[in-house]
Every structure is written in C-alpha cells, then in structure tokens.
Amino acid sequence: MDKNDIIAVLDLIGTMLEIKGENPFKVRAYFSGSRTLQTLEEDLGTVIEEGRLGNIPGIGKALTEKIETLFTTGELEFLDKLKASVPDGLLDLLEVPGLGGKKINALHKKLGIDSIESLTQACNDGRVAELKGFGTKTQDKILSGIENREAYAARHLWWDARRVADRILPGLQALPEVERVEAAGSLRRGMETVGDLDFLVASSNPEPIMEWFTQMEGIVEVTAHGDTKSSVRFEGGMQADLRVVPSEQFYFALHHFTGSKDHNVRMRQKALSVGLSLSEWGLRPEEEKDSSRSKGTVEAHSEEDIFKTLGLAYIPPSLREGMGEVEAAEKNELPELLELEDLKGCFHNHTTASDGRNTLEEIAAEADKRGWQYLGVADHSKSSFQANGLDEARLEKQVQAIRALNESGSFSSHIFAGSEVDILSGGKLDFSDSVLGTLDYVVASVHNGLTQDEETMTSRIIKALEHPNVTMLGHVSGRLLLKREASKMNIQKIIDAAIANHKIIELNSNPMRLDMDWRHWKKAAEKGLLCAINPDAHALPHYDFQLTGVNIARKGWLTRDHVFNTRSLHEVKEYFG
Ligand code: DGT
Ligand code: CA
Ligand code: CA
Ligand code: ZN
C-alpha cells in the first residue's frame, strides 16, 4: 500500500471510531497521524526501512505498527474487525455531504438512524432539525445531499466509462459474427459524465453476439435480452446497451445513437428541407418514410456519406450537441479543432513540495518523455495547509531549485516557476505582491469558502483577476463532478473580467473537474478569452488527463489559437515577460 492509501485508511479508522462514539483522544491519534503523513516530505518506504517512523512527532507506537503493517502487507486485522463492527447502513451515511463520524454517531444514538432511508424519513419528519448541533439548515442540506447522491449514482465520469468500454470493444471486435463495432452515445461525444454505454454492431447473425454480451464478466443483471437489443448492468452500477443492425444500416444507426437528441432533431429538419427523411434505419425520400423497413434509397459507407448527402461538412461527434453545428456545417464554417499533439506543455502541476507524489526532477523527466517544451510548477500556497501549501520561505527555496534545474541542462524541457495561489475569501491573494513578483506566472484558485453567495464569489474572483501578478484562473467553478456542485457565481461577468484584464482561464483536465465547463467556451473564445488546458497533476499518470482536456476543449469549439499551451516555449516566455 502506498502513502496516499495509508492516509485514506487512517482517516477511515478515525471516522469509524467517531461513528462508534469512542474516546476522542483515540480518534484524534488517527487523524493527526494522517495529517503527519500528508506533510511528510521524505519517502515513506525509506523512513520505515530505517526504523525512523516512530520518531516522527504525532506518530505513536500503536500507529507505527499499523502503518508498517499496511505498508508491507496492504492489510490490517484491526481495520477488518472495526469495519465488521460498524453496520453497513451507517457507513453509507458517510456518502452524504456534510455528514462526518460525529454527526452520524449523534443521529444513530439519539434518533436510531441506521440507513439512508431512516435518515430521509427523520429529515422529512423534522426530527433531525430538533437535534442539538443540527438545525433546519443542516437538515435541508442533508436532504438535498441525499437527492444529489441518487442523481450522481446514475452517472459515471467519462474517464471511468471509457475504461469499461475499452474492455468491451475488443471482445466484441473479436467475435467472428461482428462485421463492425463502435461505441456511440455520450461516450463517443466525449461528455464529462456518461449515463450508460451504447455499443453498436453490424452483423447478419446477432444471436451469438447477444449471448456473449449478456454473459460478460462482472454483469450483475441482464435488464433486456432481445434479438437486436440487449442491456446489462455491471457491478458498481454501470449499464450498457448493445444494438445489432444489418451492415447497410450501420452508419445511420451509428449517427442516430451517437446523438445528441438536440443534434438529431436539427439533422432531421435539415434532411426534410431537402425532401429526405433521416432515421436510425436510413435516409430516404420523404414519401417513403412510413415504410420504415423498406430499403433506404441512399447508401452510406461512412458517417461522412450521410453529411455529404445533406450538403453538410462532416461534424465530429464532440460537436453534436445542438450548439449551431449544423448551421456551421452548412456554411462549411466548422472550426479546425484542437488536437492533443498541439499541446507543448502545461502549467498547473504539483510536486512533493505540496501534495504531489513526484519530485521536480521526476516531472521534468516526464515532460521530456512526452516531448513537451515546458512544464509549469504551481504548488499550493500556505493557506491550503490541508494540501501542505508552501510558505514564503519554502516557495523561495523551490524557485531557486527550479532556476538551478534549468541551468543544469539536465532536461530539454524548460520548467517555469509558478504557484497555485489561494484566492482568500475577500479576493486577496495568499502571497504579497513582492513574493508573487519573483515567479514566472501565477495560477489563482479558490479552495475554501466555496459556498459563498453568488455576488460575493463573483467579486472575489474578479478581484483576483484584476491583480496584476495573476496569469490564469484555476478550476473556476470548484465543482467535483458527481460529488460537489459548482460554487454559485456569475460566470459571464467573470469571463468578461478575464478578457478585459488579459487573463487566461484554465480548462482543468482532471476528469473530476473539467472546469471551466465546455458549454461556456465557444462564446467566451469568440469574445477573445484565452484557455490553458492543465491536468492539475499530482502524480505522473495524471498528465494523461490532457486527453480528456482536449476532448472537452473540442466540445467547446476550441482551436489551436484559443489555447495558450499550444504556444512554443519562446512565445510563452515572451507572454510571461
Ligand atoms: P447518457 O447515456 O445519458 O449519458 O446520454 P446518451 O446521449 O448516451 O443517451 P442514450 O444512451 O439515452 O441514447 C443514445 C443516443 O440515442 C442519444 O444521444 C440519442 C439517441 N436516442 C435515444 N433515445 C432517443 C429518443 O427517445 N429520441 C431521440 N431523438 N433520440 C434518442
Ligand atoms: Ca448512453
Ligand atoms: Ca443508452
Ligand atoms: Zn487547486
């Protein structure tokens, strides 16, 4: 087990002890042990090997043994026993935002609550509001948290959906009866979250394909098993549809089931305007539209053929959201969308100096490996103590290390020295102007007070944008997809302020953030807003997130020119200068 997994285990132990109402001193030992590990700058393995773990203040004898056992075996009997002693229903309550161990203990002890259902009931009866330390506001928050939880459970991050699809597609491909196969739906359109997976197969012999699909590993329920359509549900809740069509219908069906609904509506209107009827079965003269099984008069050997027949340029799946793509395709004015290869580096990345897992040298080597020209280091600032934010002295040391690294010539990529500076609650920045002045660039982000009202949050962010040292705004809305709603703000005002002050807004490519939302980018970029696609990397594999970032940028109609990190090292240096 690595350090971050162990940190999570210690937090879980602390929380479970709280739920059980154990001695607060005992509870605190686990939480403070977890915090100590979070701020440990040395490699945990080395510390354990050299027998020095117990010497670290905040880690006592009992904790030392548990951490060592977890590190070497990945298991812990104490944890298993503890888990078994807490009813499952109480652990479920931890998924409700705002409920921690102490509150769950009170709900259980005073109201006998032991599940989401009994908690919902107690809120609806008003009994939760009457508890000491709760009140009406907390009760409302719990109720809306439960509602969100249900809505969230019905969808999945694109990144996770992609991984499941990547396992299914080769299996389908390998079946001898399968002539062609594609993933469709929101997955193909690159939506930030995906409801269910949609697979489409061309075949004249669907039966064995349906058999295979409904017997895949990990399926917990087959919700439909038909001749041409089947649906299944996997462990963890992901669902998948499979449709099998004759090969001559394949591209019509692929277009139809890729969607979106809005796009399909516009496409059918467009077809009608030239006397054709478009459906999942084909494209045929309008008078034939009722005989849906009749052979289509138009043949399509690709999706391009369908668009061409309608007098349209090819619309890539990312753009099929009914945001004016059909009109643009009519005039041959679709944007030349950004490609992953256009990116030459990125700016919002963390190292071991704050809460990242890799050192400066390791991320510089990674940039070289990926063929990037530059990489920016933007570790947290001091107010983000939970993320081990740097104070002035540590930041100065880091800047010196970065300058020395660049001079050493050890890496071909250039490292920029930046900071992810907290935007404090009134819009002030976490470092003074003179400290910020020593940096190549500054990413300004909100990390606390996320629930401020719309006006306060809007002016707080605009104040940061007006600060001369700020280069770009990090993860503007603060949302965590399927976990935490975006903060309330007037995004149009913020976009206008960024443009007026020549500031960049980030498109954070972490699959949980994808923030600023793609729905805002088309209009914002037209007005002149510059975008930086940043992975917010805390470990080397996170640099792969740039793929999702580019997908989302494409959904926002962004081209190379709209994206700052397509610029060369020379151009970026000039911009920062
Ligand atoms: P999701 O699964 O909620 O993330 O979103 P989609 O877009 O994958 O939706 P899904 O799986 O219900 O259906 C896939 C596509 O099939 C959808 O984008 C458009 C098309 N489609 C499905 N049902 C309908 C329908 O009732 N009307 C229309 N116009 N299109 C539909
Ligand atoms: Ca779907
Ligand atoms: Ca579906
Ligand atoms: Zn951040």
Side-chain angles (χ1 to χ4, degrees):
M1 222 181 234
D2 75 3
K3 189 175 99 172
N4 285 0
D5 295 330
I6 296 173
I7 289 169
V9 168
L10 296 182
D11 285 333
L12 179 64
I13 292 176
T15 305
M16 286 196 291
L17 293 174
E18 274 184 336
I19 292 177
K20 296 186 70 173
E22 297 272 351
N23 177 340
F25 289 103
K26 202 169 152 192
V27 172
R28 203 171 308 149
Y30 289 93
F31 288 134
S32 75
S34 148
R35 259 200 312 277
T36 306
L37 281 194
Q38 281 172 44
T39 54
L40 184 72
E41 284 193 24
E42 275 184 277
D43 176 56
L44 180 61
T46 315
V47 175
I48 290 176
E49 228 167 80
E50 295 173 1
R52 291 189 283 112
L53 188 59
N55 305 345
I56 299 175
I59 300 193
K61 185 160 176 289
L63 215 54
T64 304
E65 278 171 16
K66 291 192 177 87
I67 293 172
E68 286 180 355
T69 310
L70 283 168
F71 187 83
T72 44
T73 69
E75 282 168 42
L76 188 65
E77 208 187 326
F78 172 76
L79 174 70
D80 298 336
K81 282 190 178 155
L82 185 61
K83 263 188 193 160
S85 73
V86 181
D88 286 348
L90 290 184
L91 290 179
D92 289 346
L93 298 185
L94 284 171
E95 289 168 27
V96 179
L99 283 190
K102 279 186 214 152
K103 282 212 164 76
I104 293 173
N105 174 260
L107 290 166
H108 183 55
K109 234 168 53 196
K110 305 218 175 100
L111 299 177
I113 284 165
D114 58 1
S115 64
I116 298 272
E117 292 71 41
S118 54
L119 177 60
T120 311
Q121 190 63 51
C123 286
N124 286 331
D125 298 347
R127 281 180 286 140
V128 172
E130 288 163 14
L131 276 188
K132 197 172 150 244
F134 283 78
T136 325
K137 229 175 144 183
T138 306
Q139 179 173 281
D140 290 347
K141 206 176 149 207
I142 290 174
L143 265 183
S144 71
I146 292 172
E147 274 163 27
N148 282 343
R149 181 181 169 272
E150 282 163 10
Y152 291 165
R155 300 192 69 81
H156 309 272
L157 297 181
W158 182 87
W159 190 260
D160 298 336
R162 175 81 261 169
R163 273 211 303 252
V164 176
D166 282 345
R167 287 205 315 269
I168 298 174
L169 279 168
L172 284 169
Q173 192 88 65
L175 299 177
E177 298 82 9
V178 170
E179 293 163 36
R180 250 191 299 276
V181 56
E182 290 275 357
S186 50
L187 179 77
R188 184 164 182 242
R189 300 198 315 279
M191 281 288 276
E192 64 275 38
T193 65
V194 169
D196 69 352
L197 303 173
D198 301 281
F199 296 101
L200 187 71
V201 159
S203 174
S204 52
N205 185 9
E207 207 184 302
I209 303 171
M210 292 303 182
E211 283 305 308
W212 181 88
F213 185 75
T214 51
Q215 288 171 27
M216 283 182 294
E217 221 182 285
I219 289 178
V220 289
E221 194 187 352
V222 176
T223 44
H225 188 156
D227 300 338
T228 58
K229 187 191 164 192
S230 292
S231 303
V232 298
R233 188 160 55 82
F234 294 96
E235 289 159 5
M238 187 96 68
Q239 307 202 42
D241 287 344
L242 170 67
R243 290 178 178 84
V244 181
V245 299
S247 125
E248 65 273 14
Q249 274 176 24
F250 184 76
Y251 291 103
F252 298 103
L254 178 61
H255 177 267
H256 176 85
F257 292 111
T258 296
S260 64
K261 276 185 195 170
D262 289 346
H263 169 81
N264 288 353
V265 168
R266 282 294 298 118
M267 286 289 284
R268 279 197 297 273
Q269 286 169 350
K270 176 67 193 171
L272 286 177
S273 75
V274 295
L276 293 170
S277 158
L278 174 65
S279 73
E280 60 189 280
W281 299 293
L283 189 54
R284 52 178 65 83
E286 211 201 330
E287 52 273 20
E288 276 183 41
K289 73 173 178 229
D290 294 328
S291 48
S292 55
R293 299 281 165 187
S294 78
K295 206 168 145 45
T297 48
V298 175
E299 281 188 27
H301 302 284
S302 64
E303 276 188 322
E304 277 89 344
D305 284 348
I306 302 173
F307 289 103
K308 213 193 267 166
T309 306
L310 298 179
L312 298 173
Y314 175 71
I315 303 175
S318 315
L319 294 187
R320 299 182 196 168
E321 297 291 351
M323 294 214 311
E325 69 277 10
V326 175
E327 292 77 356
E330 274 172 351
K331 294 184 250 166
N332 203 16
E333 282 174 3
L334 287 169
E336 200 174 309
L337 296 176
L338 178 78
E339 309 269 355
L340 184 61
E341 294 70 37
D342 293 331
L343 299 185
K344 299 194 168 69
C346 52
F347 300 99
H348 181 173
N349 305 300
H350 298 271
T351 72
T352 44
S354 68
D355 58 349
R357 293 195 200 181
N358 300 99
T359 62
L360 205 53
E361 286 76 11
E362 284 166 346
I363 70 169
E366 186 70 17
D368 279 6
K369 198 180 110 193
R370 290 173 189 258
W372 287 340
Q373 297 181 6
Y374 49 84
L375 199 68
V377 173
D379 272 312
H380 288 284
S381 63
K382 60 190 176 191
S383 290
S384 278
F385 46 84
Q386 75 291 343
N388 189 25
L390 280 64
D391 60 16
E392 286 80 357
R394 286 172 62 217
L395 181 65
E396 191 186 336
K397 227 174 87 188
Q398 187 184 51
V399 173
Q400 283 166 3
I402 290 172
R403 306 277 183 242
L405 190 78
N406 286 329
E407 271 161 37
S408 75
S410 312
F411 301 98
S412 51
S413 49
H414 180 85
I415 305 297
F416 287 111
S419 171
E420 185 185 15
V421 174
D422 273 346
I423 304 175
L424 304 177
S425 99
K428 214 169 124 358
L429 299 182
D430 202 16
F431 287 128
S432 70
D433 296 4
S434 61
V435 171
L436 295 175
T438 64
L439 302 169
D440 295 323
Y441 71 101
V442 170
V443 182
S445 307
V446 171
H447 289 117
N448 54 31
L450 294 165
T451 54
Q452 285 179 325
D453 65 71
E454 180 178 322
E455 218 180 301
T456 312
M457 183 60 93
T458 305
S459 60
R460 172 182 180 187
I461 293 176
I462 289 178
K463 193 167 169 206
L465 284 170
E466 287 168 351
H467 192 292
N469 287 109
V470 168
T471 317
M472 62 183 81
L473 191 59
H475 48 68
V476 54
S477 86
R479 75 176 177 192
L480 294 178
L481 290 164
L482 308 179
K483 261 204 170 136
R484 181 170 80 202
E485 292 296 303
S487 294
K488 294 190 186 74
M489 64 188 68
N490 184 331
I491 192 73
Q492 294 312 327
K493 275 192 184 167
I494 290 170
I495 289 168
D496 291 341
I499 296 168
N501 291 284
H502 306 288
K503 298 298 158 76
I504 299 166
I505 291 187
E506 168 180 274
L507 197 177
N508 190 299
S509 67
N510 183 310
M512 290 193 57
R513 292 191 182 268
L514 303 176
D515 187 7
M516 181 166 85
D517 192 285
W518 59 268
R519 293 157 189 82
H520 302 308
W521 277 110
K522 181 178 182 229
K523 210 169 107 199
E526 276 166 11
K527 284 190 191 172
L529 181 65
L530 200 51
C531 168
I533 301 177
N534 291 322
D536 202 345
H538 288 72
L540 301 183
H542 296 174
Y543 292 99
D544 289 341
F545 294 163
Q546 292 295 72
L547 170 68
T548 338
V550 169
N551 284 344
I552 291 292
R554 291 165 66 95
K555 289 194 84 59
W557 293 55
L558 299 187
T559 69
R560 280 185 58 144
D561 291 343
H562 297 133
V563 180
F564 181 57
N565 42 329
T566 62
R567 298 191 184 179
S568 69
L569 174 62
H570 178 72
E571 290 167 318
V572 170
K573 276 184 173 170
E574 217 166 42
Y575 184 96
F576 288 164

